Amino acid sequence: MADVLPREVLICTIARLLDGVRHVAVGASSPIPAAGAMLLRAMKEADGTVGPRISILGSVEHNFFTNGSAELFDCAGQGRIDAFFLGGGQIDGLGNVNLVGTGDYPRSSVRWPGSFGSAYLYFVVPRVILFREEHTPRVFVEKVDFISAPGVSPEGVFRSGGPVALLTGKGLFRFDKTRPGFELESVHPGHDLAEIKQATGFQFAHDAEPRQTQLPDRPTLDLLRGRVFDELAETYPEFAAQMRRELGAVDA
Amino acid sequence: MADVLPREVLICTIARLLDGVRHVAVGASSPIPAAGAMLLRAMKEADGTVGPRISILGSVEHNFFTNGSAELFDCAGQGRIDAFFLGGGQIDGLGNVNLVGTGDYPRSSVRWPGSFGSAYLYFVVPRVILFREEHTPRVFVEKVDFISAPGVSPEGVFRSGGPVALLTGKGLFRFDKTRPGFELESVHPGHDLAEIKQATGFQFAHDAEPRQTQLPDRPTLDLLRGRVFDELAETYPEFAAQMRRELGAVDA
Amino acid sequence: MLSEPRAMAKHIEPGMRVALPVDYAGVSMAMTRPIIEHGAGDLDLVCVPTGGLQVDQLIGAGLVRTVETSAVSLGEAGGAPRFNAAVKEGAVRLKDATCPAIHAGLVAAQKGSPFMPLRGLIGTDLLRHRDDWRVIDNPLADGGDPIVLIPAIKPDVTIFHVPMADRFGNVWIGRRRELAAMAYASHTVFVTVERIVEENLLADEMSAAGVLPALYVTAVARAPKGAWPYGLWGEYPADSAEIARYAKAARTADGFSAYMAQAQMEPA
Amino acid sequence: MLSEPRAMAKHIEPGMRVALPVDYAGVSMAMTRPIIEHGAGDLDLVCVPTGGLQVDQLIGAGLVRTVETSAVSLGEAGGAPRFNAAVKEGAVRLKDATCPAIHAGLVAAQKGSPFMPLRGLIGTDLLRHRDDWRVIDNPLADGGDPIVLIPAIKPDVTIFHVPMADRFGNVWIGRRRELAAMAYASHTVFVTVERIVEENLLADEMSAAGVLPALYVTAVARAPKGAWPYGLWGEYPADSAEIARYAKAARTADGFSAYMAQAQMEPA
């Protein structure tokens, strides 16, 4: 399986994390989450069952909304969105996400765009997947400088959603909201526990010898490289082309 | 001026009461208020100024709304509707309106349709004109059996609107919210104070010899019988036809 | 996605909260008799924001437990006879409302909020009889500013009729956006339509603007003239003679039964 | 009703609260330079719900006092350089929000309500820095259910760009209904359009469904390619090369001034 690209591992892992959802929403510039959702849909349809509905924000092709930019949030508030992805300039060990900036607010030394819908969606979407390819101590910090959206809430606070997993370029973590904290579930090929520990600014639970992230089987890979990259190209042409270039380099 | 029909007096009085409004909303089955609003618009345009915008609920021709049946109320809440008409199965001397029924609620002995939007619009439309042709002690009672919408509110209650006048088949009253109560402003031709007192179940202020309701001049009447009845016929064909039949009978 | 009225009616269970639109917005009269045949009772109706023929017939058939509404009438044809009789007998529980309060409850559900504030209402007997509405002192003012909170209205089922849907379940509601509000707020949405079109209504920006997406639609059934004897905007006018005929017939329980027993369920 | 961008910009006064749409909804870039030329400052911007090029340019021109927004960025072209610089210098006051909170504030204004409740937010630093938001205990629950109230957002002016308007001032917004929400909530609404059409857009049910009625529109001006370098839905794509060119130029104040001084205000 040396011919599986790192990003293909990510896409296939996302498809697994999404298994069972009816409706997943994906941000406008999130080709890997979108590819994961499309792969799950393709797999379900290949099995003769119904795949998830995929709403891609900002896409015309995958826009099922007709009520302006408020509809995504209304839809989530109605319980009609089962899964969503969040990134973050900083993510800490309690699942807190910072999309605003570093240093003292409001005069942040580094300012990021802002919290977008995270301060709401993180509370009401049951399966939020934290996704950030860059796995460094700069991103995964002990404590975020600004809480755009908290990982957990005190008892009594209305919360039907929250983080279930954190997927990075090096590994996959599950979020345990009872503890609360992350637990390393698996390590991607080419990485190891020591490296992940060094790259992570927060403490996390882990087995002594964590297992490797599950790799896709041949039929899944065929589906991904065929139908899914075709579909992906409609919305993310540059990303799909790049993936295909990288595959070409591997084959050569 | 013997040739002015009683309903023409009502229509012309309504046009006077609406003077200065930018936007008036009229119920679906309210041809006389609609005619009054259309007459005002025609008079303004004849003077070379801008007449009021007229929204007729349920009309296609005069429907400026595109956001469903909530839009009228939103629009009123935004302060974009200056005048509205309310009737009522019962109206009392404090301007309280009952659109629900007589006797003990909820098992009303006579049940009317219900309060519609009155419990909101009466509070937020600055110039509400109470209009009921039938002027009897059955309608104009000392105290309504059910308050669909109150004529006045205690200090501190948000209220940017309320009743300004009560127009009936016999006369015109002004509403004085400081007292609070009605004051007879004028009596329509063919009626007198004694008759109105007998027909009204609540006390009201009045001059010893109240004046007669102002009658339309010739140009106003021409405008009404020409352009306004034409416009009215688009939305209320039966009412316009009946008015013209009655005018024909007078002329004959 | 594609169904037929009788099949959709079977999903209505006793005790469900059912939202129905105002007479001019697109009433699915085609669903009325299937619902009555199916016979699930103890329904809690929500009229958005007022009710008419359909509500009167469901009450006449004995299926209704409560009516939340701003009014019930047959318009030009007068009062709603079975509703009025049921009120007099105490056979239905009333939740008398005002139009924007019904809309506010639906918006709360649409937004996933437990309530919406609404101006007006204070000092009315509507408020006095609604123990589900709550008056609070506006927390954003300096005190002494009472305001009413309307709880979210979350219907189990919404039922309406519109001109068209596409094969994917996208439903064209045009400017009757209260139909979208009802659907957003509801668990299940049944729609009857004059016609099913081949093209995807979301594919063109012009038609998409008036679409309730399939996301919110449980099933769609074709029912030509499905609003009759009500009219349907942009399609056909109301049949006021038929509504008047009903109004007269339904003055008595027997007259109502005789009217409903008639075979004529669609215009000749 | 019919006007032109420069004339509309003259109605913007110092200290006004100005609502602007998200980059893909229809930004009236055609109004940006006229607003800057006119020069009214101390503006309180409300981004619905996020801001981009236009917001960055108004900040760069020194016209902005506060920014209420869920984010400001140039999308694929990266961070918004003048916004980021102003944040670092403390030159603008931030009212950091989250998308549904901006929508909630507009809906409150649309409904004539003083506030709207919103789930989420509790425990965020957004809430901690917003003294205009208020946490209350949900009065409809049994206690112990905190919820945030968002006050009504009532902009003085809303400005956006769409494909068309008719001669009567009816504006076609299609499915971008946040533009309607902004207009409902605002005192004054200025719209630029690609074209003015002859027919009344309200006369046909299909086009009417996507119309913001003239009732809410203060003035309309024709401005072909008026969203450029942003795209306009159903009309033309974004010019990402131009946006990237701006992003690079505006890294410094001088670069920004040089870019804005260029004569090219429309695509070649």
Side-chain angles (χ1 to χ4, degrees), chain A residues 88-136:
Chain A
Q90 293 178 332
I91 297 171
D92 70 22
L94 293 174
N96 295 317
V97 169
N98 175 6
L99 294 156
V100 161
T102 62
D104 279 346
Y105 184 85
R107 293 181 67 171
S108 315
S109 45
V110 175
R111 168 76 200 199
W112 298 312
S115 304
F116 291 98
S118 65
Y120 182 74
L121 295 176
Y122 212 28
F123 286 80
V124 300
V125 175
R127 217 183 286 192
V128 177
I129 296 167
L130 298 169
F131 174 62
R132 182 80 205 247
E133 275 188 281
E134 177 186 338
H135 192 145
T136 63

Side-chain angles (χ1 to χ4, degrees), chain A residues 9-22:
Chain A
V9 174
L10 297 179
I11 292 168
C12 295
T13 303
I14 287 171
R16 267 204 327 280
L17 291 170
L18 291 177
D19 195 15
V21 308
R22 300 159 306 163

Side-chain angles (χ1 to χ4, degrees), chain B residues 115-132:
Chain B
S115 303
F116 291 97
S118 64
Y120 182 73
L121 295 175
Y122 212 29
F123 286 80
V124 299
V125 175
R127 215 183 287 191
V128 177
I129 296 167
L130 298 168
F131 174 61
R132 182 81 205 246

Side-chain angles (χ1 to χ4, degrees), chain B residues 110 116 212 232 235:
Chain B
V110 174
F116 291 97
Q212 200 193 59
L232 203 61
T235 312

Side-chain angles (χ1 to χ4, degrees), chain A residues 78, chain C residues 48 103 106-107 109-110 153 155 158 173 176-186 212:
Chain A
Q78 293 152 27
Chain C
V48 183
H103 294 304
L106 292 172
V107 170
Q110 172 184 343
I153 297 174
T158 277
I173 59 167
R176 303 263 38 112
R177 295 200 68 85
E178 63 267 59
L179 302 178
M182 293 162 72
Y184 299 148
S186 293
L212 172 70

Side-chain angles (χ1 to χ4, degrees), chain B residues 98-146:
Chain B
N98 175 5
L99 295 157
V100 162
T102 62
D104 280 345
Y105 184 84
R107 294 183 63 172
S108 315
S109 45
V110 174
R111 168 77 200 199
W112 298 312
S115 303
F116 291 97
S118 64
Y120 182 73
L121 295 175
Y122 212 29
F123 286 80
V124 299
V125 175
R127 215 183 287 191
V128 177
I129 296 167
L130 298 168
F131 174 61
R132 182 81 205 246
E133 273 188 281
E134 177 186 339
H135 192 144
T136 64
R138 188 180 80 140
V139 173
F140 299 112
V141 296
E142 169 125 34
K143 191 174 178 312
V144 294
D145 291 355
F146 185 100

Side-chain angles (χ1 to χ4, degrees), chain A residues 29 63 65-70 73 105-107 109 111 113-120 123 146-148 150 156 158, chain D residues 70-72 76 83-84 87-90 94 96 98-100 103 119-122 124-126 129 144 175-178:
Chain A
S29 39
N63 176 7
F65 294 144
T66 58
N67 199 25
S69 60
F73 308 102
Y105 184 85
R107 293 181 67 171
S109 45
R111 168 76 200 199
S115 304
F116 291 98
S118 65
Y120 182 74
F123 286 80
F146 185 99
I147 301 178
S148 287
F158 180 91
Chain D
S70 307
V72 182
E76 305 288 306
F83 168 73
N84 290 352
V87 166
K88 202 169 284 183
E89 293 158 15
L94 291 174
D96 261 292
T98 186
C99 307
H103 294 305
R119 289 301 191 186
L121 283 174
I122 291 166
T124 67
D125 284 332
L126 297 171
H129 287 92
R175 52 172 132 176
R176 303 262 39 111
R177 296 200 67 86
E178 63 267 60

Side-chain angles (χ1 to χ4, degrees), chain C residues 29-267:
Chain C
M29 287 304 296
M31 283 290 288
T32 310
R33 276 184 170 84
I35 292 170
I36 291 172
E37 267 174 39
H38 172 59
D42 280 339
L43 301 179
D44 297 323
L45 301 189
V46 180
C47 306
V48 183
T50 63
L53 202 54
Q54 186 171 50
V55 170
D56 203 60
Q57 294 183 353
L58 294 176
I59 291 170
L63 300 185
V64 179
R65 176 170 56 190
T66 69
V67 185
E68 177 162 18
T69 191
S70 307
V72 181
S73 94
L74 300 182
E76 304 287 307
R82 294 296 91 210
F83 168 72
N84 290 353
V87 167
K88 201 170 284 181
E89 292 158 18
V92 290
R93 196 162 83 80
L94 291 174
K95 293 173 82 176
D96 261 292
T98 188
C99 307
I102 305 262
H103 294 304
L106 292 172
V107 170
Q110 172 184 343
K111 300 281 169 189
S113 292
F115 60 82
M116 278 274 292
L118 183 67
R119 289 300 192 186
L121 282 174
I122 291 165
T124 68
D125 284 332
L126 297 172
L127 177 61
R128 208 159 58 81
H129 287 92
R130 290 294 298 255
D131 54 13
D132 55 335
W133 295 352
R134 188 69 45 90
V135 182
I136 64 163
D137 201 23
N138 175 7
L140 299 183
D142 294 331
D145 178 20
I147 188 164
V148 179
L149 305 185
I150 309 292
I153 297 174
K154 298 180 182 179
D156 296 300
V157 184
T158 277
I159 301 167
F160 59 79
H161 182 80
V162 293
M164 60 182 160
D166 66 21
R167 295 176 298 128
F168 313 100
N170 299 306
V171 166
W172 193 71
I173 59 167
R175 52 172 132 176
R176 303 263 38 112
R177 295 200 68 85
E178 63 267 59
L179 302 178
M182 293 162 72
Y184 299 148
S186 293
H187 180 273
T188 295
V189 177
F190 292 134
V191 183
T192 56
V193 297
E194 294 294 314
R195 55 192 172 276
I196 310 280
V197 299
E198 280 303 303
E199 70 271 21
N200 184 335
L201 289 168
L202 286 179
D204 172 68
E205 285 294 334
M206 188 60 85
S207 58
V211 163
L212 172 70
L215 174 57
Y216 305 97
V217 178
T218 312
V220 174
R222 196 170 156 272
K225 275 250 171 169
W228 179 87
Y230 278 130
L232 183 61
W233 38 275
E235 300 279 327
Y236 44 88
D239 180 349
S240 25
E242 180 65 20
I243 298 172
R245 197 172 75 82
Y246 171 80
K248 197 173 165 192
R251 277 183 205 154
T252 64
D254 287 349
F256 169 76
S257 301
Y259 179 93
M260 295 304 286
Q262 281 172 3
Q264 195 204 5
M265 291 168 56
E266 280 177 29

